[in-house]
Amino acid sequence: MAYSQWRDVTKRNPCPICGKPDWCSTNGIFVCCRRGDGGGIERQDKSGGTYWLYRVDAGGIDYNPNNIEISEPPPSKDSKRATPDVLHKVYSDFKGMLSLSQSHKENLLQRGLSESEITLREYKTLPLMGRSRIARELGRRYGNDICHVPGFYLKEGNNGKSYPTFAGRPGILIPVRNFDGKIVGFKIRIDKPEEGEPKYTWFSSNGRPGGTGAVNSLHFPLFDGPENVIRITEGELKADISTALSGIWTWSLPGVNSWRLALPVLKEIKPEKVLVSFDADCWQNRNVANHLVAFIEELQSRQLGGESE
Ligand SMILES: [Zn+2]
């Protein structure tokens, strides 16, 4: 049937999920979005690239379609990004080569984290100098794999030959962990953000030669306490601090519009209560407020005891 043919999205027909003109595809009934901006059914293609399926034929976007019968899976793309296992290995080695500066440590202590919490959560300083030496060493260990790890890319040297290095403004490097505790990315708290620049950005080399964009993922702080109450917030460092200080496992969404990403995991661990905790000024922004209300309604409809905090 005609709908089983996947077409790449274009500038004229961009992806209805992420709004971008490339990388994603659609067959008229389903959309295969490769950016994962919230919800959808997560799958992997033959090349190990992650994509998310949505149903779009009913005039709206179904973020959780059931009865997915696809005669032909979406074409595998060089998704560029390495698998979570490879990301974790490379990133673990990477952070092992970095240290935490005294001023960054003091910054974290001032936020209420103890020395042992700072050690446990493995914050580092993203340095300005010595980058190619570190990237070269990782390239020696992992070969081409590091070209598929967000943050790393190839820079052209004076002699015209490329060498590996990494991107990102100097700042505090904050590990972003998946549900299994693996490091699948980093956020950077930039030391001196320029005017209009956000204080926190992903460690990403998107758009650079041999570079890769970061995955928009939830962050699950390391935690071994009770799972009957879960708090959900926005901001990785905030989630770490909240987990450490309150003893309530606090997850971070990559954005308030990405709340659907949390549903599959919540469904699995079935907490008695989910506290949704966003900045009070969120409620001033109508679009954000709509997302929060929809999130809490969805939690309540799933008997997950969602409440705003
Ligand atoms: Zn998309």
Side-chain angles (χ1 to χ4, degrees):
M1 269 189 266
Y3 66 76
S4 70
Q5 294 201 334
W6 290 92
R7 296 178 308 269
D8 285 350
V9 298
T10 61
K11 229 177 202 164
R12 280 181 80 179
N13 291 302
C15 173
I17 308 300
C18 67
K20 298 277 166 69
D22 55 11
W23 210 20
C24 311
S25 37
T26 175
N27 65 6
I29 292 187
F30 293 103
V31 169
C32 149
C33 178
R34 292 178 179 273
R35 290 189 176 83
D37 283 2
I41 306 285
E42 189 171 336
R43 295 264 173 94
Q44 292 222 319
D45 65 28
K46 273 183 281 175
S47 69
T50 304
Y51 63 92
W52 288 265
L53 276 175
Y54 305 79
R55 194 176 173 112
V56 290
D57 63 327
I61 298 172
D62 184 348
Y63 287 88
N64 230 327
N66 35 32
N67 297 327
I68 296 186
E69 284 173 55
I70 295 178
S71 47
E72 188 195 334
S76 67
K77 304 231 168 167
D78 177 16
S79 72
K80 296 180 194 153
R81 202 180 304 116
T83 61
D85 284 336
V86 172
L87 292 179
H88 180 66
K89 268 190 219 156
V90 175
Y91 283 151
S92 295
D93 277 14
F94 175 51
K95 69 165 174 50
M97 296 169 168
L98 304 174
S99 54
L100 182 66
S101 74
Q102 194 55 35
S103 67
H104 284 163
K105 189 174 168 183
E106 271 158 25
N107 181 307
L108 294 166
L109 287 168
Q110 271 166 19
R111 291 166 189 264
L113 289 167
S114 65
E115 295 232 4
S116 61
E117 284 284 347
I118 292 170
T119 308
L120 170 78
R121 301 187 188 281
E122 304 184 295
Y123 306 107
K124 299 291 173 187
T125 292
L126 193 68
L128 185 60
M129 308 302 286
R131 294 188 170 195
S132 63
R133 183 183 50 77
I134 291 172
R136 225 185 305 254
E137 173 57 24
L138 290 171
R140 200 183 56 73
R141 291 183 203 173
Y142 294 100
N144 277 341
D145 271 356
I146 75 152
C147 284
H148 304 276
V149 175
F152 294 92
Y153 72 102
L154 297 169
K155 193 170 181 176
E156 195 174 313
N158 293 335
N159 59 1
K161 262 170 94 179
S162 295
Y163 61 92
T165 186
F166 55 86
R169 306 273 307 279
I172 305 177
L173 201 61
I174 302 156
V176 176
R177 296 174 191 273
N178 67 10
F179 190 68
D180 303 322
K182 287 183 175 144
I183 301 176
V184 292
F186 291 105
K187 271 289 180 73
I188 307 166
R189 184 194 173 275
I190 300 174
D191 285 337
K192 296 186 188 86
E194 276 162 21
E195 214 181 305
E197 187 183 31
K199 215 185 267 177
Y200 293 87
T201 61
W202 285 99
F203 180 56
S204 161
S205 45
N206 200 19
R208 297 183 188 244
T212 312
V215 69
N216 221 3
S217 55
L218 279 170
H219 168 53
F220 300 88
L222 294 174
F223 182 68
D224 57 8
E227 298 177 359
N228 56 332
V229 180
I230 300 293
R231 182 184 286 124
I232 296 184
T233 188
E234 191 190 3
E236 292 76 10
L237 185 53
K238 201 161 96 182
D240 280 354
I241 294 168
S242 167
T243 299
L245 299 188
S246 70
I248 295 176
W249 198 10
T250 307
W251 306 347
S252 157
L253 294 175
V256 283
N257 58 338
S258 309
W259 54 268
R260 289 181 188 84
L261 287 176
L263 296 175
V265 197
L266 288 171
K267 202 172 147 192
E268 208 169 291
I269 67 168
K270 295 189 185 66
E272 288 154 28
K273 202 194 273 184
V274 180
L275 304 169
V276 181
S277 173
F278 289 101
D279 291 338
D281 62 354
C282 272
W283 296 100
Q284 308 300 318
N285 179 324
R286 187 136 169 227
N287 179 40
V288 174
N290 285 344
H291 275 296
L292 292 184
V293 170
F295 186 20
I296 289 166
E297 282 176 359
E298 181 73 32
L299 291 171
Q300 287 169 350
S301 79
R302 291 169 180 240
Q303 322 290 328
L304 284 166
E307 21 182 282
S308 166
E309 218 185 16

